[in-house]
Amino acid sequence: MNKVRALIITVLILSVYGCSNETGDLEAKKQQIQDYKSQIQALESKVKSLEEDIASNDPTFVSSTDRNATLVTTIPIRETTFKHYVEVRGEVTSRRNVTVSAQVPAMVVKVPATEGKSVRKGEVLITQDAETIRTNIDEIKTSLELAETRFDRQANLWEQNIGTEFQYLEAKNAKESLERKLASLNAQLSNYIILAPFSGTVDEVFVKEGEMAQPGVPMLRLVSLSNMFIKANISEAYLGQFEKGDSVEVHFPTLDKTTYTTISSVGQVINQNNRTYSIEVKIPGDESSLRPNMLAELRLKDFEQQNANIIPTNLIQNDNQGDFVYVASSVENGEGLVAQKKHITIGKTYQNQTMVESGLSGDERLIDQGFRNVAEGVMVRTDGGSSIQSLNASSPSTE
């Protein structure tokens, strides 16, 4: 009715302006307005009479109340188990991912290790120039042979009570001294030969033959793909929420692979730089497709509530009294629907779903599409009209 009235008024006003240009008479304009108002009233009466006549013969005809109401859609409140997860990023880590460095400064003379080569524990990776040490070893070996011969002879004489004890001890000491020097030189020689500390794969070689190696400077990287785990940092706000053995959902974006595992270790120290503590997560099953430093996305459940009322987060609004949502309620006479504001107390939110702790009984119908176009007490309608039966056709879903 209001739309019809507005249309009529617009048409009549345009007619007034058209007549005013022709007559230019102010009194004629005033009289014309009075005549048009009378015509509006007559037309409104005719429209109302026609609507009543049509409605009596066609019940499906939408009433003027519905046509003036705001069109919205409604959804039920879901009653289900609400779960909240903490999502963090971690990295695949190997306990055997090391860089091997030289122990002594010397030139690299041979590099048997090549990138991608599988090696066993104790296998030679790199050899450095140790010519000086080998020369000293040869000299000590020659002197040791003479000292051993002298000692053996002196020992035989001593057994026959020939010679003095001092001569025997002197020969023994000379031999043992040379043996200790030889052992020391052999130990030094081992520092010039870089051996694999464990079985694994040579990932990268940083030196070439002829280059000078220095202690502490990496020469190659050796990696073992066994005994790997995932390490992640969690905010100290969740301290005490997770324990060893808790289940974890792990997703590897690079492989587009999801698996389920458990926490193997929880750190006991807070990092003062980023206020986090670390956790370690086991890698179940085959590790052959994983690589150290690979990104992993972890989901850890920190909250669960049975029979919780769940609503879409985007429907929640705020005023000076707190959070609220709009629900579609029937008017007192049972004909039509009205928007009603319900103040609520909200709990945790996860993936655009919010748990409502209080304020809703659970059988309300939330105004979904069009919720920002309504206010308290505004008449609303759905695509099916104002029928309460059609609104209650579907019950809240349960997960």
Side-chain angles (χ1 to χ4, degrees):
M1 178 67 76
N2 289 338
K3 293 181 179 179
V4 173
R5 181 184 177 91
L7 180 59
I8 294 173
I9 292 175
T10 302
V11 173
L12 295 179
I13 290 175
L14 291 175
S15 300
V16 170
Y17 280 107
C19 294
S20 64
N21 291 334
E22 296 174 359
T23 61
D25 188 354
L26 182 59
E27 292 300 326
K29 294 177 183 178
K30 293 179 180 179
Q31 182 60 44
Q32 192 69 48
I33 289 177
Q34 293 298 325
D35 294 341
Y36 288 153
K37 286 183 178 180
S38 299
Q39 294 178 31
I40 290 173
Q41 293 176 357
L43 289 172
E44 287 179 346
S45 178
K46 290 180 181 180
V47 171
K48 183 176 181 181
S49 178
L50 286 171
E51 287 180 344
E52 291 175 354
D53 184 45
I54 294 174
S56 63
N57 294 288
D58 184 6
T60 63
F61 182 72
V62 181
S63 67
S64 61
T65 300
D66 278 345
R67 286 187 283 111
N68 290 329
T70 302
L71 180 62
V72 298
T73 62
T74 61
I75 59 174
I77 299 171
R78 297 175 59 228
E79 183 179 344
T80 183
T81 300
F82 179 82
K83 298 179 182 179
H84 185 272
Y85 293 86
V86 176
E87 298 182 354
V88 297
R89 289 190 173 188
E91 290 183 346
V92 176
T93 302
S94 173
R95 300 189 190 279
R96 293 184 171 181
N97 177 13
V98 300
T99 55
V100 179
S101 303
Q103 299 186 50
V104 293
M107 182 180 295
V108 175
V109 295
K110 192 174 182 180
V111 185
T114 57
E115 294 180 358
K117 180 182 179 181
S118 296
V119 297
R120 294 182 177 275
K121 181 178 180 180
E123 186 174 335
V124 177
L125 301 177
I126 296 175
T127 302
Q128 294 176 267
D129 182 15
E131 190 60 33
T132 302
I133 298 294
R134 289 190 174 89
T135 300
N136 291 336
I137 289 176
D138 291 340
E139 292 178 355
I140 294 297
K141 285 182 177 180
T142 301
S143 299
L144 181 60
E145 290 176 359
L146 178 61
E148 288 175 343
T149 301
R150 182 180 178 186
F151 171 74
D152 291 339
R153 291 180 179 180
Q154 192 66 43
N156 290 332
L157 293 173
W158 177 248
E159 290 177 357
Q160 299 174 21
N161 294 322
I162 301 174
T164 63
E165 182 180 6
F166 179 78
Q167 291 174 324
Y168 168 76
L169 294 177
E170 186 180 39
K172 180 181 179 182
N173 180 67
K175 180 182 78 74
E176 291 178 346
S177 176
L178 289 172
E179 289 176 341
R180 287 192 294 270
K181 287 182 179 181
L182 181 61
S184 176
L185 289 174
N186 284 326
Q188 293 179 41
L189 179 63
S190 66
N191 293 333
Y192 291 79
I193 303 173
I194 310 302
L195 306 178
F198 52 82
S199 298
T201 303
V202 178
D203 183 63
E204 189 173 2
V205 178
F206 306 113
V207 297
K208 300 177 182 178
E209 293 181 5
E211 291 184 346
M212 191 69 179
Q214 297 292 338
V217 179
M219 302 176 72
L220 59 81
R221 178 182 296 277
L222 184 63
V223 179
S224 173
L225 298 183
S226 62
N227 197 21
M228 293 193 294
F229 63 96
I230 299 172
K231 186 174 183 179
N233 295 323
I234 299 180
S235 169
E236 67 174 329
Y238 298 102
L239 189 64
Q241 296 286 338
F242 308 109
E243 299 178 354
K244 181 180 179 180
D246 287 352
S247 61
V248 182
E249 177 185 314
V250 181
H251 178 69
F252 300 101
T254 304
L255 306 175
D256 193 20
K257 175 183 176 182
T258 300
T259 185
Y260 296 88
T261 180
T262 57
I263 297 175
S264 59
S265 174
V266 178
Q268 302 299 311
V269 178
I270 302 296
N271 187 320
Q272 61 182 357
N273 295 323
N274 55 19
R275 310 308 305 173
T276 63
Y277 66 97
S278 64
I279 63 169
E280 292 184 6
V281 177
K282 295 179 181 179
I283 298 179
D286 184 17
E287 301 178 356
S288 60
S289 60
L290 304 181
R291 295 294 182 270
N293 302 322
M294 180 179 287
L295 178 65
E297 298 174 346
L298 279 60
R299 287 209 319 160
L300 303 93
K301 184 175 68 176
D302 69 322
F303 178 82
E304 181 175 345
Q305 176 68 49
Q306 303 287 336
N307 302 322
N309 287 333
I310 310 300
I311 66 174
T313 305
N314 67 300
L315 300 185
I316 301 174
Q317 302 185 68
N318 186 272
D319 60 12
N320 56 5
Q321 297 182 31
D323 298 311
F324 71 89
V325 293
Y326 281 115
V327 300
S329 302
S330 59
V331 296
E332 294 181 358
N333 59 12
E335 297 181 359
L337 297 171
V338 66
Q340 182 181 3
K341 182 185 290 187
K342 289 273 190 176
H343 282 90
I344 58 175
T345 301
I346 62 174
K348 291 183 176 292
T349 296
Y350 184 69
Q351 290 187 341
N352 300 320
Q353 298 292 314
T354 298
M355 183 180 71
V356 178
E357 296 182 346
S358 63
L360 296 175
S361 61
D363 57 355
E364 297 93 343
R365 300 287 301 194
L366 296 174
I367 296 178
D368 183 17
Q369 296 183 26
F371 74 99
R372 294 193 182 278
N373 299 326
V374 300
E376 176 72 16
V378 170
M379 297 297 296
V380 297
R381 66 184 178 90
T382 64
D383 290 338
S386 60
S387 172
I388 302 301
Q389 183 177 359
S390 66
L391 282 176
N392 296 329
S394 60
S395 59
S397 61
T398 302
E399 187 176 284

